[in-house]
Amino acid sequence: MCFASSSDDLRFTVPLTWQTARFTIDLAARPRVMGIVNATPDSFSDGGHHAAASQARAQCDRLLAEGADILDIGGESTRPGSQPPPLEIELERVLPVIRHAVTLGVPVSVDTSRPEVMAAALDAGADIVNDVRALQQSGALAAIAAHPSAGVCLMHMQGEPATMQQAPQYEDVVAELAVFLAERLKQATDAGIAAERIVLDPGYGFGKSLEHNLTLFRQQAQLLALGRPLLVGWSRKGTLGQLTGRPVDQRMPASVGAALAAVAHGARIVRVHDVAATVDALKVWNAAGLGAVA
Ligand code: HH2
Protein backbone atom coordinates (compact mmCIF):
# COMPACT_ATOMS: atom_id res chain seq x y z
CA MET A 1 0.00 0.00 0.00
CA CYS A 2 1.32 3.43 -0.94
CA PHE A 3 0.80 6.47 1.24
CA ALA A 4 1.04 9.57 -0.92
CA SER A 5 0.44 12.36 1.59
CA SER A 6 2.19 13.13 4.85
CA SER A 7 0.31 12.01 7.95
CA ASP A 8 -0.28 15.64 8.94
CA ASP A 9 -2.03 16.33 5.64
CA LEU A 10 -4.22 13.27 6.04
CA ARG A 11 -5.69 14.54 9.32
CA PHE A 12 -7.39 17.25 7.29
CA THR A 13 -8.68 15.11 4.44
CA VAL A 14 -10.53 12.32 6.24
CA PRO A 15 -14.31 12.82 6.51
CA LEU A 16 -15.17 13.95 10.00
CA THR A 17 -18.61 12.57 10.65
CA TRP A 18 -19.74 9.08 11.56
CA GLN A 19 -23.23 8.06 10.46
CA THR A 20 -24.93 5.83 13.03
CA ALA A 21 -28.52 4.68 13.37
CA ARG A 22 -29.97 7.64 15.31
CA PHE A 23 -27.03 10.07 15.39
CA THR A 24 -24.58 11.59 12.94
CA ILE A 25 -21.57 11.98 15.18
CA ASP A 26 -19.54 15.14 14.59
CA LEU A 27 -15.84 14.31 14.83
CA ALA A 28 -14.57 17.68 13.60
CA ALA A 29 -15.09 19.94 16.61
CA ARG A 30 -13.45 17.66 19.17
CA PRO A 31 -12.41 14.04 19.65
CA ARG A 32 -15.15 11.81 21.08
CA VAL A 33 -14.99 9.51 24.09
CA MET A 34 -16.50 6.02 23.91
CA GLY A 35 -17.09 4.69 27.43
CA ILE A 36 -16.66 0.94 27.96
CA VAL A 37 -19.37 -1.07 29.70
CA ASN A 38 -18.22 -4.67 30.05
CA ALA A 39 -21.22 -6.79 31.10
CA THR A 40 -18.86 -9.73 31.61
CA PRO A 41 -17.46 -11.73 34.51
CA ASP A 42 -13.99 -12.02 32.96
CA SER A 43 -12.86 -8.81 31.20
CA PHE A 44 -9.16 -8.15 31.72
CA SER A 45 -9.46 -4.95 33.73
CA ASP A 46 -13.00 -4.79 35.12
CA GLY A 47 -14.31 -8.35 34.83
CA GLY A 48 -17.19 -8.93 37.24
CA HIS A 49 -17.53 -5.26 38.19
CA HIS A 50 -20.58 -4.79 35.97
CA ALA A 51 -21.57 -8.39 35.29
CA ALA A 52 -25.10 -8.10 36.70
CA ALA A 53 -27.46 -6.21 34.41
CA SER A 54 -28.26 -3.74 37.20
CA GLN A 55 -24.54 -2.98 37.67
CA ALA A 56 -24.01 -2.55 33.93
CA ARG A 57 -27.00 -0.23 33.67
CA ALA A 58 -25.63 1.83 36.56
CA GLN A 59 -22.25 1.93 34.81
CA CYS A 60 -23.95 3.37 31.69
CA ASP A 61 -25.48 6.13 33.86
CA ARG A 62 -22.13 6.80 35.57
CA LEU A 63 -20.13 7.02 32.33
CA LEU A 64 -22.72 9.30 30.80
CA ALA A 65 -22.55 11.61 33.84
CA GLU A 66 -18.75 11.61 33.46
CA GLY A 67 -19.09 12.90 29.89
CA ALA A 68 -19.06 9.84 27.62
CA ASP A 69 -20.16 10.66 24.08
CA ILE A 70 -20.86 7.02 23.15
CA LEU A 71 -21.53 3.92 25.29
CA ASP A 72 -19.98 0.62 24.14
CA ILE A 73 -21.61 -2.44 25.69
CA GLY A 74 -19.95 -5.85 25.46
CA GLY A 75 -20.81 -9.37 26.61
CA GLU A 76 -17.66 -11.17 25.45
CA SER A 77 -14.22 -10.65 26.93
CA THR A 78 -11.61 -10.71 24.17
CA ARG A 79 -8.63 -10.62 26.53
CA PRO A 80 -5.69 -12.83 25.53
CA GLY A 81 -6.53 -16.48 26.24
CA SER A 82 -10.30 -15.99 26.36
CA GLN A 83 -13.01 -18.09 24.69
CA PRO A 84 -16.33 -16.64 23.51
CA PRO A 85 -19.31 -17.37 25.79
CA PRO A 86 -22.31 -19.33 24.45
CA LEU A 87 -24.56 -17.19 22.24
CA GLU A 88 -27.48 -17.24 24.70
CA ILE A 89 -25.24 -15.98 27.50
CA GLU A 90 -23.88 -13.14 25.39
CA LEU A 91 -27.43 -12.11 24.46
CA GLU A 92 -28.54 -12.29 28.10
CA ARG A 93 -25.62 -10.10 29.12
CA VAL A 94 -25.99 -7.31 26.60
CA LEU A 95 -29.67 -6.93 25.72
CA PRO A 96 -31.01 -5.66 29.08
CA VAL A 97 -28.16 -3.14 29.20
CA ILE A 98 -28.71 -1.97 25.62
CA ARG A 99 -32.44 -1.52 26.24
CA HIS A 100 -31.54 0.84 29.10
CA ALA A 101 -28.68 2.61 27.32
CA VAL A 102 -30.80 3.52 24.30
CA THR A 103 -33.01 5.65 26.55
CA LEU A 104 -30.10 7.87 27.62
CA GLY A 105 -29.78 10.11 24.55
CA VAL A 106 -26.31 9.14 23.33
CA PRO A 107 -25.19 6.72 20.62
CA VAL A 108 -25.06 3.13 21.87
CA SER A 109 -22.64 0.59 20.50
CA VAL A 110 -22.62 -3.18 20.94
CA ASP A 111 -19.19 -4.83 21.11
CA THR A 112 -19.78 -8.19 19.44
CA SER A 113 -18.74 -10.40 16.53
CA ARG A 114 -21.88 -12.51 16.34
CA PRO A 115 -24.50 -11.64 13.71
CA GLU A 116 -27.29 -12.81 16.02
CA VAL A 117 -26.16 -10.40 18.74
CA MET A 118 -25.69 -7.59 16.20
CA ALA A 119 -29.22 -8.07 14.85
CA ALA A 120 -30.81 -8.30 18.31
CA ALA A 121 -28.91 -5.24 19.58
CA LEU A 122 -29.79 -3.15 16.52
CA ASP A 123 -33.42 -4.27 16.77
CA ALA A 124 -33.34 -3.13 20.43
CA GLY A 125 -32.25 0.33 19.27
CA ALA A 126 -28.44 0.22 19.34
CA ASP A 127 -26.75 2.62 16.91
CA ILE A 128 -23.38 1.02 16.26
CA VAL A 129 -21.75 -2.40 16.02
CA ASN A 130 -18.15 -2.52 17.24
CA ASP A 131 -16.62 -5.73 15.93
CA VAL A 132 -13.09 -6.78 16.91
CA ARG A 133 -13.35 -9.38 14.11
CA ALA A 134 -14.26 -6.76 11.50
CA LEU A 135 -17.51 -8.45 10.33
CA GLN A 136 -15.72 -11.64 9.29
CA GLN A 137 -18.16 -14.07 10.92
CA SER A 138 -20.63 -15.57 8.50
CA GLY A 139 -23.78 -13.39 8.39
CA ALA A 140 -22.20 -10.36 10.05
CA LEU A 141 -22.03 -8.18 6.93
CA ALA A 142 -25.65 -8.99 6.14
CA ALA A 143 -26.76 -8.22 9.71
CA ILE A 144 -25.33 -4.69 9.42
CA ALA A 145 -26.44 -4.14 5.85
CA ALA A 146 -29.99 -5.00 6.94
CA HIS A 147 -30.03 -1.92 9.17
CA PRO A 148 -29.69 0.88 6.64
CA SER A 149 -27.92 3.43 8.82
CA ALA A 150 -26.27 1.54 11.70
CA GLY A 151 -22.65 2.55 12.28
CA VAL A 152 -19.84 0.05 12.45
CA CYS A 153 -16.27 -0.12 13.75
CA LEU A 154 -14.02 -2.56 11.88
CA MET A 155 -11.03 -3.58 14.03
CA HIS A 156 -7.87 -5.46 13.09
CA MET A 157 -6.89 -8.57 15.03
CA GLN A 158 -4.30 -11.18 14.10
CA GLY A 159 -5.65 -14.62 15.06
CA GLU A 160 -8.22 -15.16 17.79
CA PRO A 161 -8.15 -14.04 21.44
CA ALA A 162 -7.44 -17.60 22.66
CA THR A 163 -4.00 -17.65 21.00
CA MET A 164 -3.37 -14.18 19.53
CA GLN A 165 -0.57 -13.18 21.91
CA GLN A 166 1.42 -16.43 21.62
CA ALA A 167 3.62 -15.44 18.68
CA PRO A 168 2.23 -12.53 16.66
CA GLN A 169 4.20 -12.04 13.46
CA TYR A 170 4.32 -9.32 10.79
CA GLU A 171 6.87 -8.32 8.18
CA ASP A 172 5.51 -4.77 8.17
CA VAL A 173 2.82 -4.27 10.78
CA VAL A 174 1.52 -0.94 9.45
CA ALA A 175 1.33 -2.03 5.81
CA GLU A 176 -0.27 -5.38 6.65
CA LEU A 177 -2.82 -3.74 8.86
CA ALA A 178 -3.66 -1.19 6.19
CA VAL A 179 -4.19 -3.96 3.62
CA PHE A 180 -6.46 -5.85 6.03
CA LEU A 181 -8.56 -2.80 6.92
CA ALA A 182 -8.82 -1.73 3.28
CA GLU A 183 -10.06 -5.19 2.36
CA ARG A 184 -12.63 -5.27 5.17
CA LEU A 185 -13.77 -1.75 4.23
CA LYS A 186 -14.24 -2.91 0.63
CA GLN A 187 -16.13 -6.04 1.70
CA ALA A 188 -18.41 -3.89 3.84
CA THR A 189 -19.13 -1.30 1.18
CA ASP A 190 -19.64 -4.05 -1.43
CA ALA A 191 -22.22 -5.54 0.94
CA GLY A 192 -24.12 -2.25 0.88
CA ILE A 193 -22.77 -0.60 4.04
CA ALA A 194 -22.04 3.01 3.07
CA ALA A 195 -18.51 4.19 3.89
CA GLU A 196 -20.00 7.07 5.96
CA ARG A 197 -21.16 4.43 8.46
CA ILE A 198 -17.70 2.94 9.00
CA VAL A 199 -14.76 3.78 11.26
CA LEU A 200 -11.52 1.78 11.49
CA ASP A 201 -9.46 0.58 14.44
CA PRO A 202 -5.87 -0.75 14.47
CA GLY A 203 -6.74 -3.06 17.40
CA TYR A 204 -3.95 -2.36 19.87
CA GLY A 205 -3.06 -5.49 21.82
CA PHE A 206 -4.91 -7.86 19.48
CA GLY A 207 -2.25 -10.22 18.11
CA LYS A 208 0.55 -7.68 18.52
CA SER A 209 3.76 -7.61 20.53
CA LEU A 210 4.99 -4.55 22.44
CA GLU A 211 7.12 -3.65 19.44
CA HIS A 212 4.24 -4.09 16.98
CA ASN A 213 1.96 -1.92 19.12
CA LEU A 214 4.52 0.85 19.41
CA THR A 215 5.47 0.84 15.72
CA LEU A 216 1.80 1.05 14.88
CA PHE A 217 1.18 3.78 17.44
CA ARG A 218 3.93 6.00 16.05
CA GLN A 219 2.73 5.52 12.48
CA GLN A 220 -0.98 5.31 13.23
CA ALA A 221 -1.84 8.44 11.20
CA GLN A 222 -0.82 6.61 8.02
CA LEU A 223 -4.04 4.61 8.39
CA LEU A 224 -5.96 7.79 7.64
CA ALA A 225 -4.99 7.16 4.01
CA LEU A 226 -7.82 4.61 4.05
CA GLY A 227 -10.20 7.57 4.13
CA ARG A 228 -12.19 6.79 7.28
CA PRO A 229 -11.95 8.11 10.85
CA LEU A 230 -9.94 6.13 13.38
CA LEU A 231 -11.25 4.77 16.67
CA VAL A 232 -8.62 3.41 19.07
CA GLY A 233 -8.58 1.54 22.36
CA TRP A 234 -5.47 1.76 24.50
CA SER A 235 -7.27 1.78 27.82
CA ARG A 236 -5.44 -0.19 30.55
CA LYS A 237 -3.87 -2.54 28.00
CA GLY A 238 -0.84 -4.74 28.61
CA THR A 239 1.51 -2.58 26.54
CA LEU A 240 0.84 0.28 28.98
CA GLY A 241 1.72 -2.11 31.80
CA GLN A 242 4.96 -3.01 30.01
CA LEU A 243 5.82 0.67 29.50
CA THR A 244 5.07 1.75 33.07
CA GLY A 245 5.53 -1.39 35.17
CA ARG A 246 2.03 -0.84 36.55
CA PRO A 247 -0.61 -3.53 37.22
CA VAL A 248 -3.91 -3.20 35.41
CA ASP A 249 -5.65 -1.30 38.24
CA GLN A 250 -2.99 1.42 38.18
CA ARG A 251 -2.94 2.22 34.48
CA MET A 252 -5.30 5.18 34.41
CA PRO A 253 -2.63 7.90 33.96
CA ALA A 254 -0.93 5.85 31.24
CA SER A 255 -4.30 5.26 29.57
CA VAL A 256 -5.08 8.97 29.54
CA GLY A 257 -1.63 9.69 28.10
CA ALA A 258 -2.18 7.05 25.44
CA ALA A 259 -5.60 8.48 24.56
CA LEU A 260 -4.12 11.96 24.02
CA ALA A 261 -1.22 10.56 22.01
CA ALA A 262 -3.68 8.56 19.90
CA VAL A 263 -5.61 11.76 19.17
CA ALA A 264 -2.35 13.51 18.30
CA HIS A 265 -1.74 10.68 15.83
CA GLY A 266 -5.11 11.21 14.16
CA ALA A 267 -7.69 9.20 16.16
CA ARG A 268 -11.08 10.93 16.56
CA ILE A 269 -12.72 8.43 18.92
CA VAL A 270 -11.02 6.95 21.98
CA ARG A 271 -12.48 3.87 23.68
CA VAL A 272 -11.81 4.13 27.42
CA HIS A 273 -12.70 2.77 30.85
CA ASP A 274 -11.74 5.96 32.73
CA VAL A 275 -14.17 8.37 31.13
CA ALA A 276 -13.99 11.26 33.65
CA ALA A 277 -10.21 11.47 33.54
CA THR A 278 -10.10 11.23 29.74
CA VAL A 279 -12.82 13.85 29.31
CA ASP A 280 -10.93 16.24 31.61
CA ALA A 281 -7.67 15.67 29.74
CA LEU A 282 -9.39 16.29 26.41
CA LYS A 283 -10.98 19.50 27.75
CA VAL A 284 -7.48 20.85 28.31
CA TRP A 285 -6.36 19.48 24.95
CA ASN A 286 -9.28 21.21 23.24
CA ALA A 287 -8.74 24.48 25.15
CA ALA A 288 -5.15 24.48 23.95
CA GLY A 289 -6.48 24.58 20.40
CA LEU A 290 -5.62 20.98 19.56
CA GLY A 291 -9.11 19.48 19.47
CA ALA A 292 -10.73 20.79 16.30
CA VAL A 293 -9.92 19.54 12.82
CA ALA A 294 -11.50 21.83 10.28
N1 HH2 B 1 -10.44 -3.57 22.96
C1 HH2 B 1 -11.15 -4.43 23.72
C2 HH2 B 1 -12.47 -4.77 23.39
N2 HH2 B 1 -13.08 -4.21 22.33
N3 HH2 B 1 -13.02 -2.73 20.50
C3 HH2 B 1 -12.36 -1.86 19.73
N4 HH2 B 1 -12.96 -1.28 18.68
N5 HH2 B 1 -11.05 -1.52 20.00
C4 HH2 B 1 -10.37 -2.06 21.05
O1 HH2 B 1 -9.17 -1.75 21.22
C5 HH2 B 1 -11.05 -3.01 21.89
C6 HH2 B 1 -12.40 -3.32 21.57
C7 HH2 B 1 -10.52 -5.02 24.94
O2 HH2 B 1 -10.76 -4.21 26.06
P1 HH2 B 1 -11.90 -4.49 27.16
O3 HH2 B 1 -13.25 -4.42 26.55
O4 HH2 B 1 -11.72 -3.61 28.32
O5 HH2 B 1 -11.56 -5.95 27.65
P2 HH2 B 1 -12.26 -7.36 27.47
O6 HH2 B 1 -12.16 -7.70 26.01
O7 HH2 B 1 -11.47 -8.28 28.35
O8 HH2 B 1 -13.69 -7.24 27.89
Side-chain angles (χ1 to χ4, degrees):
M1 175 145 312
C2 164
F3 298 109
S5 316
S6 83
S7 301
D8 281 350
D9 294 341
L10 291 170
R11 280 167 36 103
F12 298 97
T13 58
V14 169
L16 286 166
T17 54
W18 184 12
Q19 178 62 52
T20 75
R22 293 174 298 163
F23 302 87
T24 302
I25 304 174
D26 171 24
L27 304 174
R30 61 183 176 86
R32 298 287 165 172
V33 175
M34 173 184 260
I36 302 170
V37 181
N38 282 324
T40 54
D42 55 347
S43 287
F44 79 95
S45 80
D46 55 356
H49 294 197
H50 323 112
S54 59
Q55 292 171 312
R57 286 192 290 259
Q59 180 68 352
C60 292
D61 298 346
R62 190 156 41 236
L63 297 188
L64 195 59
E66 291 180 6
D69 297 300
I70 304 167
L71 295 172
D72 186 38
I73 296 156
E76 176 197 358
S77 170
T78 48
R79 74 190 186 287
S82 62
Q83 296 284 351
L87 170 63
E88 304 68 43
I89 301 286
E90 190 181 346
L91 284 166
E92 269 170 36
R93 287 177 184 168
V94 297
L95 284 180
V97 190
I98 287 168
R99 287 193 196 101
H100 172 68
V102 297
T103 67
L104 300 178
V106 294
V108 174
S109 160
V110 61
D111 185 351
T112 188
S113 297
R114 287 188 163 122
E116 300 88 344
V117 180
M118 295 174 187
L122 293 172
D123 288 347
D127 301 284
I128 296 165
V129 169
N130 168 28
D131 185 1
V132 300
R133 297 178 182 84
L135 304 182
Q136 291 183 99
Q137 284 200 4
S138 174
L141 283 165
I144 307 297
H147 280 260
S149 56
V152 60
C153 175
L154 302 175
M155 198 199 81
H156 173 269
M157 167 163 57
Q158 186 180 85
E160 274 291 310
T163 53
M164 66 187 177
Q165 289 308 105
Q166 285 173 11
Q169 299 224 335
Y170 302 84
E171 289 199 359
D172 180 336
V173 66
V174 181
E176 287 171 48
L177 219 105
V179 167
F180 172 87
L181 290 175
E183 174 60 20
R184 294 314 303 158
L185 184 58
K186 181 172 184 319
Q187 292 282 329
T189 51
D190 286 354
I193 304 167
E196 294 69 36
R197 299 165 56 187
I198 301 172
V199 301
L200 304 174
D201 184 338
Y204 290 112
F206 283 86
K208 295 165 188 96
S209 67
L210 171 69
E211 197 188 328
H212 296 141
N213 284 318
L214 295 182
T215 301
L216 198 48
F217 201 16
R218 292 175 191 137
Q219 298 179 44
Q220 178 189 277
Q222 291 188 20
L223 298 174
L224 296 173
L226 298 171
R228 296 304 308 150
L230 295 179
L231 182 158
V232 308
W234 263 116
S235 192
R236 301 182 185 170
K237 285 192 175 163
T239 294
L240 302 180
Q242 288 172 286
L243 291 176
T244 60
R246 302 279 182 197
V248 71
D249 60 339
Q250 293 173 24
R251 294 182 192 156
M252 191 260 274
S255 300
V256 173
L260 294 186
V263 170
H265 284 310
R268 296 307 288 175
I269 306 131
V270 288
R271 181 181 182 275
V272 305
H273 301 90
D274 299 295
V275 167
T278 310
V279 167
D280 278 3
L282 283 170
K283 279 183 183 163
V284 178
W285 179 266
N286 297 336
L290 296 164
V293 180

